[in-house]
Amino acid sequence: MTAEQPVLPAAYPEPLWTQAASLLRTRIADGELRPGARLPPERDLCQQLAISRVTLRKALSALVDEGVLRSAHGRGWYVTSPERGDWPNTLESFSETARRMGLAPTSTVLRAVAAPASFDEAEAFQIAPGTPLFRLDRVRLLDGVPIAVDESVLPTDVAEDFGRLDFTTASLYEIVSGRGFQLAQADTTIEARPATAAVAEHLDVPEATPILQMRQVVRDRSGRPLLSSTIRYAGDRYRLRTSFTRNAGTEQT
């Protein structure tokens, strides 16, 4: 949006805040403001549209109610990401899911190093505490929009030479499977947690915003743990659908 663009006509029958909301909605629909983008500062928007801050905030709040915008306290107003659909019930990697949905998966690598296993990790992998494990921490993005912070841990024999790989575009599942390891089954726990300062910064959400935290241990067909991950999803950008079947013989007469 530039200063040369026309201001809202005060004589138009609709209230100015309605006109402002409509104009912003159109610019988002036209792709001028893309999903995840931050709007210009309120002062700039007021000058561009020749309206008061009270009028602007009424328009912005209306768009938040519609799900078009979201407010990040102290950081501004952002265009929301479109619904990404449902994640599958089958064991599928982030990259596989993204491609199936026609989206481009990428990652920002935060850490890719070997480090000693903690007591909890040693128990999960059935190894001695202090045994080296490979740690891969990434911000996962879909079409450039941050969706999750993924912290994965693998045994070093599974992750041999992983420190040399480029995980900005590579799929962890595909690499592990390509080396002959079968990712057959996963034990998963999902819960709501407040975003820490670091996670909030990576996901571009306010600190303490509710996020979905998924802890998962992936095993091969023999039951050996091959991968442990903690993935923290932005709550408004992730949805998990599942189904339940009632066992036969449980009906009461």
Side-chain angles (χ1 to χ4, degrees):
M1 288 182 284
T2 64
E4 290 76 16
Q5 291 173 323
V7 298
L8 301 175
Y12 197 74
E14 291 185 342
L16 286 177
W17 72 266
T18 304
Q19 297 179 56
S22 179
L23 178 60
L24 291 171
R25 195 184 299 110
T26 298
R27 291 175 177 171
I28 292 169
D30 290 344
E32 183 179 338
L33 294 169
R34 299 181 61 81
R38 184 172 65 180
L39 268 61
E42 290 184 10
R43 178 180 299 178
D44 293 350
L45 286 173
C46 288
Q47 291 177 349
Q48 293 167 11
L49 302 176
I51 57 177
S52 68
R53 181 162 291 186
V54 172
T55 299
L56 175 65
R57 287 193 173 178
K58 190 171 182 179
L60 297 175
S61 296
L63 293 176
V64 169
D65 291 341
E66 294 176 17
V68 177
L69 299 178
R70 61 181 176 86
S71 174
H73 182 67
R75 303 177 67 183
W77 304 80
Y78 292 80
V79 180
T80 57
S81 303
E83 283 289 342
R84 298 300 183 180
D86 301 323
W87 259 240
N89 294 342
T90 56
L91 182 57
E92 190 173 80
S93 74
F94 184 90
S95 297
E96 289 169 338
T97 302
R99 292 169 187 144
R100 177 174 55 80
M101 298 167 65
L103 303 170
T106 56
S107 298
T108 300
V109 178
L110 305 176
R111 178 171 65 163
V113 297
S118 67
F119 283 101
D120 289 341
E121 291 167 341
E123 183 178 358
F125 284 100
Q126 303 167 14
I127 58 177
T131 301
L133 293 171
F134 185 80
R135 303 180 185 277
L136 178 62
D137 299 349
R138 295 168 290 172
V139 179
R140 312 306 303 274
L141 304 98
L142 293 178
D143 286 352
V145 178
I147 300 296
V149 177
D150 182 339
E151 299 174 356
S152 296
V153 184
L154 305 91
T156 52
D157 67 308
V158 177
E160 186 176 355
D161 295 328
F162 269 25
R164 302 178 182 178
L165 302 181
D166 180 9
F167 282 100
T168 58
T169 55
S171 167
L172 181 59
Y173 274 36
E174 290 176 5
I175 292 174
V176 172
S177 298
R179 294 187 173 189
F181 297 98
Q182 294 181 318
L183 301 170
Q185 178 265 334
D187 298 320
T188 306
T189 301
I190 301 175
E191 60 182 335
R193 303 289 296 175
T196 64
V199 170
E201 182 177 358
H202 291 314
L203 295 180
D204 201 13
V205 299
E207 185 176 353
T209 295
I211 59 172
L212 289 176
Q213 177 175 282
M214 182 170 73
R215 295 185 182 276
Q216 191 171 71
V217 177
V218 182
R219 307 175 187 275
D220 64 13
R221 297 192 185 280
S222 70
R224 180 200 175 188
L226 298 177
L227 166 67
S228 175
S229 62
T230 299
I231 309 175
R232 299 174 176 89
Y233 293 93
D236 62 341
R237 304 169 206 167
Y238 176 85
R239 180 173 60 190
L240 176 68
R241 184 184 297 275
T242 188
S243 60
F244 298 94
T245 302
R246 188 169 176 82
N247 292 330
T250 59
E251 297 297 332
Q252 299 293 323
T253 59

